[in-house]
Amino acid sequence: MIARRIWRSHRFLRPFFVHPPTLMKWGGGSRSWFSNEAMATDSNSGLIDVPLAQTGEGIAECELLKWFVKEGDSVEEFQPLCEVQSDKATIEITSRFKGKVALISHSPGDIIKVGETLVRLAVEDSQDSLLTTDSSEIVTLGGSKQGTENLLGALSTPAVRNLAKDLGIDINVITGTGKDGRVLKEDVLRFSDQKGFVTDSVSSEHAVIGGDSVSTKASSNFEDKTVPLRGFSRAMVKTMTMATSVPHFHFVEEINCDSLVELKQFFKENNTDSTIKHTFLPTLIKSLSMALTKYPFVNSCFNAESLEIILKGSHNIGVAMATEHGLVVPNIKNVQSLSLLEITKELSRLQHLAANNKLNPEDVTGGTITLSNIGAIGGKFGSPLLNLPEVAIIALGRIEKVPKFSKEGTVYPASIMMVNIAADHRVLDGATVARFCCQWKEYVEKPELLMLQMR
């Protein structure tokens, strides 16, 4: 009985255990995610820290792209809070709780580690505790009041916090002149002047030389600029660095695309759906899948630790896409089971998502071989690096008319495309890649053979 009373009297002193945050998906195919665990720094006051949860296997950090809310906003359950980008995809983080945004911990462009607090929410708990944002006070269960600065630190925007950090100032010692004691940019600069901190003068538009004001706008164009790598660009650094440790060999071949050009023209002339744009790529992808059926080792991955080759059952063919956000390689799943029209639609969907930085994690994972269509931009020839753990990648040059000689010695025009296959020499030998390429070439040059064996 005594023990029970002691336990009840100390129930609010029990330690708060934080479980590693994980990510839950909701909305049936939606790209919105929420943390299934929240880290509450003060459960009695109704303040809950929302951490960056694990957004995918092997993801340790994300870049914060933008906020959908600001401090003081009310939020509903499942309402988007912010958008983050890992090295694989862009994801919306949503709220599990209904409440108000008490504190935003990061600014767009920040790199956030998994588990770090994204935002602090004020929610009403089961004991009806109340966070009063207008008076900047928290009413606790004991009836006493605490200033929010004791729990949250100084009230300010992320931009002001960053300014104070850059100047080496502890923002919590600054007296704010804004509403509810909020620290403003002017407060930070005033404090800096009073304490003798040196501010950055590079941003000033004019410099004084010999007593005369001289404009520095023209010369600023020649100054060095440091550009941090973010998102997909950071991922490219990692993957390409890993690829350089793998022994590559390259196989180059010409493919006559006269029949491919005629097939594309036929599709365009008989197209009844204005939303579909026919290109060369879907036929190249489907013919590649047909060749992979006969050469399964090209559609594999290599486990260096166990010295095992995993032959992939599905043909998940990736297509490298250059976007303003960086290089990304989404893949078309199960090409071996898709028609040309289905491949065309899926390729269009992935291109649209990539251009808008909205690819799902599922779109960029699980690839088994990659095509890099440099010819769409310009260039006859490319020498690609492997997209590990895949064992082959193919660079496609542009299709151009060139003169060719027939067996009889006559000259005729031909639509020629150069292809360069880079292969992992630990898994594939030159003869295998050569035979595979010849098979693929035959399907492209003679589409009737492709149609004959398609399922």
Side-chain angles (χ1 to χ4, degrees):
M1 188 71 172
I2 294 175
R4 184 181 303 172
R5 288 177 179 173
I6 292 175
W7 173 252
R8 287 178 176 173
S9 64
H10 290 79
R11 65 185 183 275
F12 297 116
L13 301 179
R14 283 174 275 172
F16 182 84
F17 294 97
V18 178
H19 301 280
T22 55
L23 217 60
M24 302 290 289
K25 190 175 182 180
W26 66 276
S30 170
R31 295 178 55 262
S32 298
W33 301 73
F34 62 84
S35 230
N36 69 348
E37 296 288 348
M39 296 185 290
T41 57
D42 191 330
S43 59
N44 293 338
S45 68
L47 290 175
I48 293 180
D49 285 349
V50 179
L52 174 64
Q54 185 66 258
T55 60
E57 184 179 356
I59 301 301
E61 62 186 18
C62 290
E63 178 189 359
L64 177 62
L65 295 183
K66 62 181 177 181
W67 285 102
F68 299 117
V69 296
K70 60 182 181 295
E71 291 180 2
D73 283 358
S74 297
V75 296
E76 301 292 331
E77 286 186 271
F78 307 124
Q79 178 179 336
L81 297 174
C82 63
E83 187 175 64
V84 299
Q85 183 182 53
S86 69
D87 56 5
K88 293 183 178 179
T90 303
I91 299 170
E92 287 182 358
I93 304 298
T94 61
S95 174
R96 281 190 60 211
F97 307 96
K98 179 179 180 180
K100 281 191 174 183
V101 178
L103 179 68
I104 289 178
S105 303
H106 297 276
S107 301
D110 288 352
I111 301 298
I112 307 170
K113 302 289 185 182
V114 170
E116 286 187 12
T117 299
L118 283 169
V119 62
R120 181 170 291 182
L121 299 180
V123 299
E124 294 184 4
D125 63 11
S126 58
Q127 301 295 330
D128 294 325
S129 61
L130 177 65
L131 175 68
T132 309
T133 56
D134 290 339
S135 61
S136 298
E137 295 177 337
I138 298 173
V139 182
T140 65
L141 287 176
S144 61
K145 296 181 178 180
Q146 294 179 314
T148 56
E149 61 272 13
N150 293 332
L151 291 171
L152 303 178
L155 290 175
S156 64
T157 64
V160 175
R161 289 180 181 276
N162 286 338
L163 175 61
K165 182 179 178 181
D166 292 340
L167 295 175
I169 300 173
D170 181 1
I171 197 170
N172 296 311
V173 302
I174 301 177
T175 301
T177 59
K179 183 179 179 181
D180 300 329
R182 183 180 295 271
V183 178
L184 306 177
K185 177 181 178 181
E186 292 76 12
D187 299 327
V188 175
L189 296 176
R190 187 183 306 110
F191 185 88
S192 173
D193 292 338
Q194 293 173 352
K195 298 299 181 181
F197 289 91
V198 178
T199 59
D200 186 6
S201 60
V202 176
S203 61
S204 60
E205 290 187 358
H206 296 80
V208 178
I209 301 176
D212 296 326
S213 178
V214 180
S215 174
T216 61
K217 287 184 177 181
S219 61
S220 65
N221 295 331
F222 302 100
E223 294 178 356
D224 295 343
K225 181 179 180 181
T226 300
V227 180
L229 295 179
R230 295 287 189 264
F232 300 135
S233 296
R234 288 168 67 92
M236 186 170 66
V237 172
K238 298 176 184 178
T239 55
M240 292 299 98
T241 302
M242 291 171 57
T244 57
S245 65
V246 175
H248 287 57
F249 82 91
H250 294 265
F251 182 86
V252 182
E253 178 61 291
E254 291 183 349
I255 297 181
N256 188 317
C257 296
D258 285 341
S259 297
L260 186 63
V261 172
E262 293 177 4
L263 193 62
K264 174 192 170 184
Q265 186 62 31
F266 175 81
F267 288 156
K268 289 178 64 176
E269 292 175 355
N270 293 273
N271 183 21
T272 58
D273 189 344
S274 59
T275 63
I276 296 177
K277 180 182 178 181
H278 291 285
T279 64
F280 299 116
L281 205 49
T283 305
L284 292 171
I285 291 172
K286 186 61 181 181
S287 57
L288 180 66
S289 174
M290 295 297 295
L292 290 174
T293 302
K294 294 190 175 183
Y295 295 90
F297 276 81
V298 183
N299 191 63
S300 67
C301 65
F302 180 59
N303 188 327
E305 294 182 0
S306 62
L307 295 179
E308 293 177 333
I309 300 171
I310 303 170
L311 303 180
K312 295 294 186 177
S314 298
H315 298 169
N316 300 339
I317 299 179
V319 179
M321 299 179 184
T323 72
E324 62 181 18
H325 311 287
L327 177 67
V328 63
V329 188
N331 59 83
I332 302 174
K333 300 289 194 296
N334 300 309
V335 173
Q336 76 279 3
S337 302
L338 300 180
S339 67
L340 283 174
L341 187 58
E342 289 171 330
I343 294 172
T344 301
K345 292 180 178 180
E346 178 64 5
L347 180 62
S348 177
R349 182 187 74 87
L350 294 174
Q351 289 172 333
H352 176 74
L353 292 176
N356 292 279
N357 201 23
K358 297 294 184 181
L359 287 166
N360 296 316
E362 295 86 352
D363 294 328
V364 294
T365 55
T368 59
I369 189 172
T370 297
L371 288 177
S372 178
N373 187 20
I374 60 168
I377 300 174
K380 300 179 181 180
F381 177 85
S383 182
L385 291 176
L386 290 171
N387 184 24
L388 297 177
E390 300 168 15
V391 299
I393 181 173
I394 305 172
L396 308 174
R398 69 171 179 262
I399 299 175
E400 60 179 356
K401 285 282 188 179
V402 297
K404 286 291 182 179
F405 286 94
S406 67
K407 293 180 180 180
E408 293 76 22
T410 59
V411 178
Y412 67 95
S415 299
I416 300 297
M417 176 178 65
M418 297 284 290
V419 297
N420 185 355
I421 303 177
D424 186 341
H425 216 336
R426 300 172 301 175
V427 178
L428 299 172
D429 56 63
T432 300
V433 174
R435 294 189 184 100
F436 161 75
C437 187
C438 289
Q439 182 64 71
W440 180 38
K441 175 180 178 178
E442 186 177 26
Y443 285 141
V444 175
E445 294 183 343
K446 300 176 181 178
E448 58 271 17
L449 293 179
L450 177 66
M451 307 302 172
L452 192 62
Q453 300 184 37
M454 281 178 56
R455 298 176 182 175

